[in-house]
Amino acid sequence: MITLKFYGHACFTVTHKNTTLLFDPFFTGNPANPASPDEINCNYILVSHGHGDHLGDTVAIAKRTGATVIGTAELAALAEQQNCANISMHLGGKRSFEFGYVRITPAFHGAGIPGGHAAGFIVNFFGKTLYFAGDTALFGDMALLGRLEKIDYALLPIGDNYTMGPDDAVEAVKLLQPQAVIPMHYNTWPVIAQSPEAFKEKITVLNIPVHIMNPGESMEL
Ligand code: NI
Ligand code: MN
C-alpha cells in the first residue's frame, strides 16, 4: 500500500511501510497547512527550489529526523552548510534508491538560491511513478517527460501568478499524458485563488481523472 498525503500548498508525503518521502515541507507560516512539522517522520526530503514556501521547514525536519535532503547541487550545498544529510543531483540526472529512483526535471522558475535552478522530480516509488512539477511555467519539453516516463500521477501547480494557471496546466496534462492529476499550489493565499473543480472539469474532458486533495487528506495510490 502506498499512501499520498497532502499538507497544503505543494507539501506532500508519500509512504510505503517504513519509507516516507516528504516534498517541499512548508509548514511554518503556511496558512493552508494545519499540521505541525514536528509530527512528520520521513527518510528523505525532496526540495524543488529555495523559495520559502518550498524550502520551508526542511532544515528543522532533517535535523530532527535525520532525513536526507535530495535536491540540486546548490540546494544540497545549503543543506550541507546546515549539517543536514544530503544528496546532490541536478537537472536531467536520475539516481537509484532503495525505494525506486529519482529523476530531477527542469522547472521554469526562480531558484531562490544564488546560482541555482528551480527543479521538479519524477519519482518512482515502489513501482508508482509520480511527477512533482514544483513551481513552473508550462514548457513544451513536458512532452519529453511524458515520453521518457509513464507517469501515474502528475502533481501540477494551478495557482497562476507565480506558476502555471489552470488553462496552462490543462496543456501540461496533454503533454505529459499521466494516468491521473493532482492539482497543487493554489488557494494558499488570495493571489493564487483558483477553483480546482473548474480545473477538474477541463481535464475530465480528456478522460484523465483529477484527484482534488484537501490539506490533511490522504489517498492510496
Ligand atoms: Ni517558488
Ligand atoms: Mn511557490
Side-chain angles (χ1 to χ4, degrees):
M1 191 173 91
I2 297 173
T3 306
L4 180 73
K5 185 167 182 182
F6 184 46
Y7 289 94
H9 202 55
C11 181
F12 293 86
T13 53
V14 62
T15 302
H16 175 68
K17 292 183 179 165
N18 295 324
T19 306
T20 295
L21 315 187
L22 170 64
F23 293 86
D24 284 2
F26 179 37
F27 292 87
T28 305
N30 179 354
N33 193 339
S36 158
D38 299 330
E39 70 184 56
I40 299 296
N41 279 305
C42 59
N43 308 88
Y44 296 96
I45 308 175
L46 286 74
V47 184
S48 65
H49 64 296
H51 287 154
D53 56 323
H54 298 265
L55 183 62
D57 299 287
T58 295
V59 171
I61 296 171
K63 285 197 165 154
R64 181 177 53 77
T65 62
T68 300
V69 177
I70 302 175
T72 59
E74 292 79 12
L75 208 300
L78 187 151
E80 180 72 27
Q81 281 163 16
Q82 300 291 325
N83 296 312
C84 299
N86 62 85
I87 288 178
S88 168
M89 296 177 62
H90 228 300
L91 307 185
K94 193 169 167 179
R95 182 165 176 149
S96 293
F97 291 85
E98 65 278 16
F99 56 79
Y101 61 82
V102 172
R103 175 200 283 273
I104 298 208
T105 66
F108 278 76
H109 190 75
I113 308 173
H117 202 299
F121 299 98
I122 292 178
V123 177
N124 184 277
F125 188 72
F126 296 99
K128 293 283 179 190
T129 303
L130 285 79
Y131 172 44
F132 176 86
D135 278 4
T136 188
L138 172 66
F139 57 92
D141 284 351
M142 285 179 177
L144 280 175
L145 299 180
R147 208 191 299 168
L148 293 167
E149 302 276 0
K150 191 192 139 294
I151 297 165
D152 293 307
Y153 295 89
L155 282 53
L156 303 176
I158 65 161
D160 223 336
N161 194 77
Y162 302 115
T163 66
M164 296 189 282
D167 289 339
D168 287 11
V170 170
E171 292 305 312
V173 171
K174 290 179 190 169
L175 298 174
L176 294 162
Q177 290 294 314
Q179 298 300 303
V181 177
I182 297 167
M184 63 176 183
H185 210 276
Y186 65 94
N187 288 357
T188 316
W189 303 284
V191 69
I192 56 171
Q194 295 295 341
S195 163
E197 289 81 13
F199 172 70
K200 180 175 183 167
E201 260 185 54
K202 291 177 191 176
I203 297 292
T204 306
V205 177
L206 306 173
N207 263 326
I208 297 174
V210 174
H211 302 285
I212 298 169
M213 298 182 78
N214 295 310
E217 220 174 278
S218 298
M219 64 179 276
E220 282 174 33
L221 305 187

